[in-house]
Amino acid sequence: MSADFLYLASQSPRRRQLLAQIGVRHELLLPGADEDAEALEAVTDGESPDDYVRRVTAAKLDAALQRRARRGLPSAPVLCSDTTVALGDRILGKPDDAAHASAMLASLSGREHRVLTAVAVGLPDGRVLSALNVSQVRFAAIGDERLRAYVASGEPMGKAGAYAIQSQAAAWIEHIAGSYSGIMGLPLFETAELLREAGFPV
């Protein structure tokens, strides 16, 4: 493969940081003002968390590939990823407001949940490589005062499940089984495997 970089179709600074951590050169390929990126994340009735996160990632990749072609950008792999939090079969996406964030966090308090992150790489030859990482996270009981302070900080907004593992919410996590980077938003083991399969130097 001739490209020595890839396009990252994500606004997440954490995904940029994680790609840089494993030495992957990348350029951002973000939606324009004419694209409704949030609409891709709408949940379909009866959809399982696994199916949901795979579908959203595939939809994001399709939109990004069309965006690259429309903008006439040089050919290179395009990477997309999506993360969701699941409490049983219930999908906890990004909170709508502070009250929604508080309710989400209260539902996670003292319980175990799953964090699912799907990754997809679209190659210049039309192939799509994909993987799914699932991690288990157990929260200790979160006191009302700490919960209110965390929501007031604004950190939950824009985060699946209303928290970020690299924030002060880490103090509530009793146990993790899985991938720390996956919980952050980009599972590096699976991502590196996909890129190597694509012939990318990782």
Side-chain angles (χ1 to χ4, degrees):
M1 189 171 62
S2 59
D4 61 353
F5 76 100
L6 57 77
Y7 293 107
L8 173 63
S10 172
Q11 300 188 57
S12 165
R14 293 164 300 284
R15 292 190 178 116
R16 295 200 72 182
Q17 173 192 338
L18 288 165
L19 278 180
Q21 182 179 325
I22 59 172
V24 175
R25 196 162 73 85
H26 57 279
E27 297 181 8
L28 293 181
L29 181 60
L30 301 180
D34 58 331
E35 295 182 64
D36 187 359
E38 293 297 319
L40 298 177
E41 299 182 7
V43 179
T44 301
D45 287 344
E47 195 170 29
S48 73
D50 300 56
D51 289 342
Y52 167 78
V53 76
R54 287 182 188 275
R55 177 183 60 77
V56 171
T57 301
K60 286 182 175 181
L61 178 60
D62 185 58
L65 290 169
Q66 292 183 44
R67 186 181 312 137
R68 188 204 63 77
R70 192 167 58 247
R71 294 177 185 174
L73 297 172
S75 181
V78 178
L79 186 147
C80 285
S81 186
D82 189 69
T83 301
T84 198
V85 169
L87 189 58
D89 288 330
R90 181 181 162 207
I91 296 169
L92 301 182
K94 298 170 184 174
D96 299 326
D97 52 31
H100 192 199
S102 295
M104 280 191 190
L105 291 168
S107 72
L108 297 175
S109 177
R111 302 177 70 180
E112 186 171 274
H113 61 272
R114 292 185 298 152
V115 179
L116 305 92
T117 299
V119 184
V121 180
L123 303 180
D125 64 10
R127 286 183 298 149
V128 173
L129 307 176
S130 62
L132 176 67
N133 176 269
V134 182
S135 298
Q136 307 281 344
V137 181
R138 185 170 67 241
F139 271 14
I142 308 169
D144 289 344
E145 186 175 337
R146 286 199 297 173
L147 193 153
R148 281 195 297 271
Y150 186 62
V151 172
S153 75
E155 179 65 42
M157 306 314 295
K159 310 290 193 305
Y163 80 93
I165 194 170
Q166 71 278 10
S167 72
Q168 58 185 291
W172 309 332
I173 296 173
E174 289 184 336
H175 181 75
I176 291 170
S179 166
Y180 185 89
S181 59
I183 297 167
M184 280 184 70
L186 188 69
L188 290 182
F189 177 80
E190 288 85 350
T191 299
E193 289 279 291
L194 294 180
L195 293 178
R196 277 194 291 270
E197 185 179 346
F200 204 89
V202 179

